Amino acid sequence: MTTPAEPAVNTVAWFEIASDDPEGVQRFYGDLFGWRFRTDENSDAMGMDYRLISYADDAEVQGGVFATGGDIPGHAIFTVMVRDVVETCRQVEALGGKVLSKAVGNDKGPDFAYLHDTSGNLFGIFAPPAS
């Protein structure tokens, strides 16, 4: 399996399905759409249960299933790649949105944040790790 070519900044680049029943979600979408799943080794090394999703006839990773452990509500969201998570979070708040959580400075994965827009819709942002 390969990872997708890097998407353009400020475009939807990922989707995530979070659940306290990742096996059930995996079975549901696998049976419904033929999606394939594999453990993300980087997340596993950080103690997170995150499974990468590939479409049935595509080797590229398109999204992920995040096992919440019941710590946060389940969700299905889109994620936008940005240049700077901290600056984008500042802009979200200036525009009336809300930062729910963010992780920056993580040496094992990308900086990311979960946000609400002005209507309360959940979405995510991430900046790829510097190479």
Side-chain angles (χ1 to χ4, degrees):
M1 233 174 256
T2 62
T3 55
E6 187 166 305
V9 170
N10 296 333
T11 64
V12 173
W14 193 257
F15 70 91
E16 176 179 271
I17 302 164
S19 173
D20 60 357
D21 179 17
E23 273 78 18
V25 165
Q26 185 172 308
R27 193 170 35 259
F28 175 82
Y29 286 104
D31 290 349
L32 183 63
F33 296 126
W35 294 354
R36 297 185 319 254
F37 303 84
R38 69 177 171 90
T39 299
D40 176 30
E41 290 82 17
N42 291 331
S43 296
D44 193 43
M46 296 181 335
M48 290 175 54
D49 181 354
Y50 203 92
R51 299 139 193 232
L52 301 174
I53 299 170
S54 297
Y55 299 142
D57 57 355
D58 189 358
E60 291 189 0
V61 175
Q62 304 294 331
V65 171
F66 171 49
T68 66
D71 294 333
I72 62 172
H75 57 261
I77 63 170
F78 65 89
T79 307
V80 176
M81 188 178 88
V82 298
R83 290 190 200 286
D84 184 326
V85 167
V86 172
E87 174 58 19
T88 304
C89 286
R90 187 199 63 74
Q91 292 173 342
V92 163
E93 289 177 326
L95 293 168
K98 183 176 180 182
V99 176
L100 301 175
S101 66
K102 66 182 171 185
V104 242
N106 175 6
D107 63 348
K108 294 192 182 198
D111 291 347
F112 65 91
Y114 294 110
L115 312 155
H116 274 166
D117 65 18
T118 55
S119 292
N121 297 308
L122 180 66
F123 70 103
I125 58 171
F126 77 97
S131 5

